[in-house]
Amino acid sequence: MKWFHSLRWRLLILFFLVSYIPLMFFSSVLLERMESYYLEESKEAKIKQANMIATQIKEENYLVDNSNSSLFKALITNKSNENNGRVLVVDASGFVVMDSSDAAINMTLMNSTVLSALNNQKAAEKYEDLPVMIASVPVLDKDKKVVVGAVVLVTSIEDVFLPIKDLKSQVNLLSLIIALLAGLMSFATSSFITKPLKTLMKFVQKITNGQLDQKVNVVGNDEIAELGNAFNHMAEQLQRVEQSRQEFVSNVSHELKTPLSSIKVLTESLMFQEDVPVEMYKEFFEDINSEVDRLNSIISDLLTLVRLDQREIPLNITEVNLNEMIQNLLKRLAPLAKKKNINLIYESHREVIAEIDMVKLSLALTNLVENAIKYTPEGGEVTVILQGDLQDAIITVQDTGIGIAKEEQSRIFERFYRTDKTRNRETGGTGLGLAITYKTIVMHNGSIVVESEEGKGSTFSAQIPLRHVWEGGTK
């Protein structure tokens, strides 16, 4: 059954079914309508024939006057031959008084059509599953105009069903041929669809094997071309992820190696020197302690990011007054700004209440404000603006600092990414603060963007929904 797993064979079967099933359904409905139409036509014709017999019986008053029974018998026999069927006449009680075949004489005949006729209603119906039509019409008294009996005409309607039966066979055969042709045409043309898919599968296999520098040649604007473009975009993204991973490993190695190297140099200096003064021991141990603190800070931030990525740190969502939270945050950072003679400004024109994790979001905003203070020269300004509407809170942090180059703005939220390529750490930090800020805001279903110009300052804008939406709906 390996052939069944081939796309071309699946297309063949699919096109066959898609063609055959609608054709069969359409032909079935059409033939049923035709059969119903001809059946109704046949009913009207048989009622008309039976009515002509009933009229003659009425005119001759055969059901009331029994003196002309021989003529009555001759009439019934003659009409039976003319209509190529069987004619029965019953009285008002359903008692058979005349039968062209003499088989039901003196018997009672009662069925739905006879009952309708005795109730002065003309009726006709097909007899069960046989190609036989039974038509019954009332016979009225010549003078009193009351029902005195009924004429029952039983005739074959095989001439109606035989053409329909032949037509049904032809339609079924034609539907099968058309469906097979459609399937074969799809099988023949499916190579135009499967060929680019097979090519794409080869590239996918190469990417699976680690060859990420793959790119398919896209031709046209159809769905296959869209799939090719999607594949190329995916390959580019995978290359970026791999490049980012390599850079991250390199950055982590560098960040950890630097303080370790410093510690090694300091300890070796103490180990290989004789008669080292106590003051030097104290100074070197202070430096070693500082480097250990830096290592601890880097590792803590790394663990925080990993836990944020894996959603191991749950959000403790509560309703928080953002005005109060930001004011408290700025009070804590005011001494840092005062050391550099930086004017710390807070602006808000309305009270904003939001459902947030106050601890985590406060830490994220602290990172933004601290960075603004760090990279703003003495005498500059850092402004925090809180705005809100019916759906979102917008927190903006502006500074008059050194700014960020345009080509680097898209990467500043990456881990360990530094705009200072020399990795000068005079400003401190682990290079993970903005990454933690970005991840925290995203966990709040928010977004953050940056606008900056070198030498003029930067503006970070964080947008956070007032109502926190959990996975699966609002909690």
Side-chain angles (χ1 to χ4, degrees):
M1 293 292 288
K2 289 184 178 180
W3 60 270
F4 183 74
H5 298 286
S6 170
L7 180 59
R8 295 185 69 190
W9 281 102
R10 289 182 179 180
L11 286 174
L12 171 63
I13 296 171
L14 176 63
F15 273 86
F16 173 77
L17 293 176
V18 167
S19 303
Y20 184 70
I21 293 175
L23 282 172
M24 288 301 297
F25 176 76
F26 175 76
S27 61
S28 176
V29 172
L30 180 62
L31 291 170
E32 186 178 336
R33 293 287 179 87
M34 290 178 62
E35 182 177 321
S36 298
Y37 172 77
Y38 286 117
L39 197 59
E40 289 299 320
E41 290 285 318
S42 180
K43 284 180 181 180
E44 292 181 6
K46 301 308 176 184
I47 289 175
K48 187 176 181 180
Q49 293 171 0
N51 197 53
M52 291 175 63
I53 300 171
T55 301
Q56 287 185 273
I57 294 173
K58 171 188 172 183
E59 292 297 328
E60 299 296 334
N61 210 16
Y62 286 136
L63 280 178
V64 177
D65 185 2
N66 295 327
S67 60
N68 296 319
S69 59
S70 57
L71 294 176
F72 189 12
K73 175 64 177 176
L75 173 65
I76 297 305
T77 302
N78 184 43
K79 292 299 180 182
S80 173
N81 294 331
E82 284 182 9
N83 294 294
N84 194 25
R86 181 182 177 186
V87 179
L88 298 95
V89 181
V90 299
D91 60 15
S93 300
F95 190 74
V96 179
V97 296
M98 194 62 68
D99 182 1
S100 60
S101 66
D102 294 328
I105 295 292
N106 298 326
M107 295 177 63
T108 300
L109 178 62
M110 280 294 176
N111 56 41
S112 59
T113 60
V114 172
L115 288 173
S116 296
L118 294 177
N119 286 307
N120 203 16
Q121 297 289 331
K122 300 174 183 178
E125 63 180 23
K126 181 176 173 291
Y127 183 76
E128 297 179 353
D129 296 328
L130 299 176
V132 173
M133 179 72 72
I134 301 173
S136 300
V137 298
V139 177
L140 301 178
D141 179 78
K142 186 176 181 181
D143 299 321
K144 297 181 181 179
K145 307 296 183 182
V146 296
V147 176
V148 294
V151 172
V152 180
L153 178 61
V154 182
T155 54
S156 172
I157 53 171
E158 198 168 6
D159 58 330
V160 174
F161 286 93
L162 282 177
I164 293 177
K165 186 177 180 181
D166 293 339
L167 184 61
K168 185 180 293 186
S169 300
Q170 295 174 11
V171 169
N172 289 340
L173 180 60
L174 183 62
S175 299
L176 182 61
I177 292 173
I178 293 174
L180 284 173
L181 288 175
L184 291 173
M185 289 178 63
S186 71
F187 186 77
T189 58
S190 60
S191 59
F192 294 104
I193 300 175
T194 57
K195 185 177 180 180
L197 290 178
K198 288 181 178 178
T199 303
L200 191 60
M201 284 301 299
K202 291 180 181 178
F203 283 101
V204 171
Q205 189 62 42
K206 289 182 179 179
I207 284 185
T208 304
N209 294 332
Q211 304 175 36
L212 301 181
D213 56 338
Q214 302 298 317
K215 189 174 183 179
V216 298
N217 184 28
V218 179
V219 179
N221 297 309
D222 55 10
E223 289 78 2
I224 299 296
E226 290 180 6
L227 183 60
N229 287 325
F231 173 84
N232 289 338
H233 179 69
M234 180 195 69
E236 291 174 2
Q237 292 297 108
L238 286 174
Q239 289 183 61
R240 289 179 185 175
V241 169
E242 177 61 19
Q243 183 181 356
S244 176
R245 186 188 66 83
Q246 292 176 0
E247 289 181 0
F248 177 72
V249 172
S250 175
N251 289 333
V252 170
S253 301
H254 187 93
E255 294 292 335
L256 295 177
K257 185 178 180 181
T258 302
L260 286 173
S261 298
S262 298
I263 292 172
K264 182 175 176 61
V265 170
L266 291 169
T267 53
E268 286 180 348
S269 297
L270 295 175
M271 288 171 59
F272 298 117
Q273 289 188 42
E274 296 181 0
D275 300 326
V276 178
V278 175
E279 292 80 7
M280 184 177 290
Y281 267 106
K282 185 176 181 180
E283 180 184 349
F284 278 23
F285 278 133
E286 287 177 354
D287 292 340
I288 290 172
N289 184 64
S290 176
E291 293 300 326
V292 170
D293 287 341
R294 176 167 180 76
L295 271 174
N296 185 60
S297 179
I298 292 172
I299 293 170
S300 295
D301 284 351
L302 280 172
L303 289 174
T304 299
L305 270 175
V306 170
R307 294 177 68 189
L308 286 173
D309 284 340
Q310 297 178 352
R311 299 294 179 97
E312 291 182 5
I313 305 177
L315 290 177
N316 182 24
I317 298 297
T318 57
E319 279 197 355
V320 177
N321 187 313
L322 294 183
N323 305 72
E324 294 179 0
M325 186 191 79
I326 294 174
Q327 287 173 347
N328 292 332
L329 181 155
L330 295 180
K331 285 179 183 178
R332 293 195 302 270
L333 296 177
L336 183 64
K338 191 174 182 180
K339 284 183 181 180
K340 296 180 67 176
N341 195 27
I342 290 175
N343 190 17
L344 200 55
I345 302 170
Y346 170 66
E347 294 181 6
S348 180
H349 301 291
R350 56 165 291 188
E351 186 178 59
V352 181
I353 307 294
E355 295 178 353
I356 61 168
D357 185 320
M358 186 174 70
V359 175
K360 294 182 181 63
L361 188 60
S362 180
L363 175 61
L365 296 178
T366 298
N367 287 336
L368 291 179
V369 179
E370 279 186 346
N371 281 349
I373 295 172
K374 286 178 185 178
Y375 296 103
T376 298
E378 290 191 10
E381 284 186 355
V382 173
T383 304
V384 179
I385 303 170
L386 173 61
Q387 298 170 304
D389 54 26
L390 296 177
Q391 292 183 334
D392 301 300
I394 301 172
I395 305 168
T396 305
V397 179
Q398 298 176 344
D399 64 57
T400 57
I402 60 176
I404 305 168
K406 189 172 183 179
E407 63 272 13
E408 295 180 330
Q409 292 176 20
S410 62
R411 301 193 62 189
I412 60 173
F413 296 109
E414 294 179 11
R415 300 160 191 196
F416 291 119
Y417 185 80
R418 294 179 182 272
T419 58
D420 182 1
K421 302 302 180 184
T422 62
R423 297 184 176 269
N424 186 347
R425 290 176 175 76
E426 292 178 358
T427 56
T430 63
L432 296 171
L434 285 179
I436 293 174
T437 296
Y438 175 81
K439 191 66 181 179
T440 301
I441 291 174
V442 169
M443 286 180 69
H444 281 80
N445 301 313
S447 62
I448 182 169
V449 294
V450 60
E451 294 180 2
S452 184
E453 187 176 346
E454 287 186 286
K456 293 187 178 181
S458 304
T459 299
F460 288 81
S461 296
Q463 183 172 341
I464 299 171
L466 297 180
R467 298 283 176 239
H468 184 74
V469 179
W470 299 85
E471 290 184 4
T474 303
K475 195 170 182 178

